[in-house]
PDB file of all heavy atoms in Angstrom:
ATOM      1  N   ARG A1620      62.988 -67.289  12.849  1.00  0.00           N
ATOM      2  CA  ARG A1620      63.444 -65.936  12.673  1.00  0.00           C
ATOM      3  C   ARG A1620      62.290 -64.946  12.464  1.00  0.00           C
ATOM      4  O   ARG A1620      62.124 -63.973  13.184  1.00  0.00           O
ATOM      5  CB  ARG A1620      64.419 -65.883  11.502  1.00  0.00           C
ATOM      6  CG  ARG A1620      65.726 -66.590  11.817  1.00  0.00           C
ATOM      7  CD  ARG A1620      66.653 -66.668  10.601  1.00  0.00           C
ATOM      8  NE  ARG A1620      67.869 -67.398  10.953  1.00  0.00           N
ATOM      9  CZ  ARG A1620      68.797 -67.728  10.061  1.00  0.00           C
ATOM     10  NH1 ARG A1620      68.676 -67.407   8.781  1.00  0.00           N
ATOM     11  NH2 ARG A1620      69.896 -68.351  10.440  1.00  0.00           N
ATOM     12  N   VAL A1665      67.177 -68.052   0.657  1.00  0.00           N
ATOM     13  CA  VAL A1665      67.399 -66.691   1.186  1.00  0.00           C
ATOM     14  C   VAL A1665      67.684 -66.709   2.675  1.00  0.00           C
ATOM     15  O   VAL A1665      68.719 -66.170   3.178  1.00  0.00           O
ATOM     16  CB  VAL A1665      66.176 -65.826   0.886  1.00  0.00           C
ATOM     17  CG1 VAL A1665      66.314 -64.435   1.545  1.00  0.00           C
ATOM     18  CG2 VAL A1665      65.944 -65.687  -0.605  1.00  0.00           C
ATOM     19  N   CYS A1666      66.809 -67.352   3.438  1.00  0.00           N
ATOM     20  CA  CYS A1666      67.005 -67.339   4.908  1.00  0.00           C
ATOM     21  C   CYS A1666      67.829 -68.580   5.281  1.00  0.00           C
ATOM     22  O   CYS A1666      67.369 -69.449   5.994  1.00  0.00           O
ATOM     23  CB  CYS A1666      65.629 -67.371   5.600  1.00  0.00           C
ATOM     24  SG  CYS A1666      65.770 -66.953   7.332  1.00  0.00           S
ATOM     25  N   GLU A1671      72.412 -65.324   5.777  1.00  0.00           N
ATOM     26  CA  GLU A1671      71.049 -65.066   5.199  1.00  0.00           C
ATOM     27  C   GLU A1671      71.086 -63.762   4.458  1.00  0.00           C
ATOM     28  O   GLU A1671      71.805 -62.794   4.870  1.00  0.00           O
ATOM     29  CB  GLU A1671      70.014 -65.050   6.310  1.00  0.00           C
ATOM     30  CG  GLU A1671      70.103 -63.884   7.293  1.00  0.00           C
ATOM     31  CD  GLU A1671      71.215 -64.075   8.355  1.00  0.00           C
ATOM     32  OE1 GLU A1671      71.772 -65.173   8.415  1.00  0.00           O
ATOM     33  OE2 GLU A1671      71.498 -63.106   9.073  1.00  0.00           O
ATOM     34  N   CYS A1673      68.979 -60.982   3.796  1.00  0.00           N
ATOM     35  CA  CYS A1673      67.749 -60.273   4.115  1.00  0.00           C
ATOM     36  C   CYS A1673      67.368 -59.245   3.075  1.00  0.00           C
ATOM     37  O   CYS A1673      66.201 -58.892   2.918  1.00  0.00           O
ATOM     38  CB  CYS A1673      67.880 -59.627   5.498  1.00  0.00           C
ATOM     39  SG  CYS A1673      68.312 -60.812   6.799  1.00  0.00           S
ATOM     40  N   CYS A1676      64.889 -60.634   0.863  1.00  0.00           N
ATOM     41  CA  CYS A1676      63.834 -61.368   1.536  1.00  0.00           C
ATOM     42  C   CYS A1676      62.496 -60.634   1.405  1.00  0.00           C
ATOM     43  O   CYS A1676      62.455 -59.418   1.739  1.00  0.00           O
ATOM     44  CB  CYS A1676      64.184 -61.591   3.008  1.00  0.00           C
ATOM     45  SG  CYS A1676      62.886 -62.481   3.867  1.00  0.00           S
ATOM     46  N   ALA A1679      61.256 -59.165   4.895  1.00  0.00           N
ATOM     47  CA  ALA A1679      62.242 -58.509   5.756  1.00  0.00           C
ATOM     48  C   ALA A1679      61.572 -57.433   6.600  1.00  0.00           C
ATOM     49  O   ALA A1679      61.920 -57.257   7.781  1.00  0.00           O
ATOM     50  CB  ALA A1679      63.331 -57.825   4.895  1.00  0.00           C
ATOM     51  N   CYS A1682      60.064 -59.276   9.649  1.00  0.00           N
ATOM     52  CA  CYS A1682      60.845 -60.339  10.292  1.00  0.00           C
ATOM     53  C   CYS A1682      61.194 -59.940  11.716  1.00  0.00           C
ATOM     54  O   CYS A1682      61.929 -58.968  11.962  1.00  0.00           O
ATOM     55  CB  CYS A1682      62.084 -60.630   9.521  1.00  0.00           C
ATOM     56  SG  CYS A1682      63.220 -61.757  10.354  1.00  0.00           S
ATOM     57  N   TRP A1684      63.133 -61.319  13.975  1.00  0.00           N
ATOM     58  CA  TRP A1684      64.538 -61.413  14.367  1.00  0.00           C
ATOM     59  C   TRP A1684      65.355 -60.216  13.825  1.00  0.00           C
ATOM     60  O   TRP A1684      66.175 -59.620  14.497  1.00  0.00           O
ATOM     61  CB  TRP A1684      65.138 -62.734  13.849  1.00  0.00           C
ATOM     62  CG  TRP A1684      66.533 -63.006  14.282  1.00  0.00           C
ATOM     63  CD1 TRP A1684      67.023 -63.050  15.561  1.00  0.00           C
ATOM     64  CD2 TRP A1684      67.638 -63.281  13.410  1.00  0.00           C
ATOM     65  NE1 TRP A1684      68.362 -63.337  15.537  1.00  0.00           N
ATOM     66  CE2 TRP A1684      68.784 -63.455  14.271  1.00  0.00           C
ATOM     67  CE3 TRP A1684      67.764 -63.360  12.042  1.00  0.00           C
ATOM     68  CZ2 TRP A1684      70.032 -63.713  13.717  1.00  0.00           C
ATOM     69  CZ3 TRP A1684      69.022 -63.658  11.520  1.00  0.00           C
ATOM     70  CH2 TRP A1684      70.162 -63.826  12.349  1.00  0.00           C
ATOM     71  N   ARG A1685      65.073 -59.925  12.557  1.00  0.00           N
ATOM     72  CA  ARG A1685      65.792 -58.782  11.975  1.00  0.00           C
ATOM     73  C   ARG A1685      65.399 -57.482  12.680  1.00  0.00           C
ATOM     74  O   ARG A1685      66.239 -56.663  13.023  1.00  0.00           O
ATOM     75  CB  ARG A1685      65.435 -58.680  10.479  1.00  0.00           C
ATOM     76  CG  ARG A1685      66.367 -57.742   9.664  1.00  0.00           C
ATOM     77  CD  ARG A1685      65.858 -57.585   8.258  1.00  0.00           C
ATOM     78  NE  ARG A1685      64.680 -56.724   8.217  1.00  0.00           N
ATOM     79  CZ  ARG A1685      64.645 -55.439   8.229  1.00  0.00           C
ATOM     80  NH1 ARG A1685      65.760 -54.762   8.231  1.00  0.00           N
ATOM     81  NH2 ARG A1685      63.496 -54.801   8.154  1.00  0.00           N
TER      82      ARG A1685
HETATM   83  S1  SF4 B3281      64.604 -60.955   6.903  1.00  0.00           S
HETATM   84 FE1  SF4 B3281      66.458 -62.164   6.914  1.00  0.00          FE
HETATM   85  S2  SF4 B3281      66.367 -63.378   8.806  1.00  0.00           S
HETATM   86 FE2  SF4 B3281      64.281 -62.564   8.417  1.00  0.00          FE
HETATM   87  S3  SF4 B3281      63.199 -64.187   7.319  1.00  0.00           S
HETATM   88 FE3  SF4 B3281      64.125 -62.795   5.818  1.00  0.00          FE
HETATM   89  S4  SF4 B3281      66.146 -63.681   5.317  1.00  0.00           S
HETATM   90 FE4  SF4 B3281      65.420 -64.639   7.196  1.00  0.00          FE
END
Side-chain angles (χ1 to χ4, degrees):
R1620 291 176 181 172
V1665 175
C1666 194
E1671 67 283 351
C1673 303
C1676 181
C1682 173
W1684 184 57
R1685 194 187 70 84

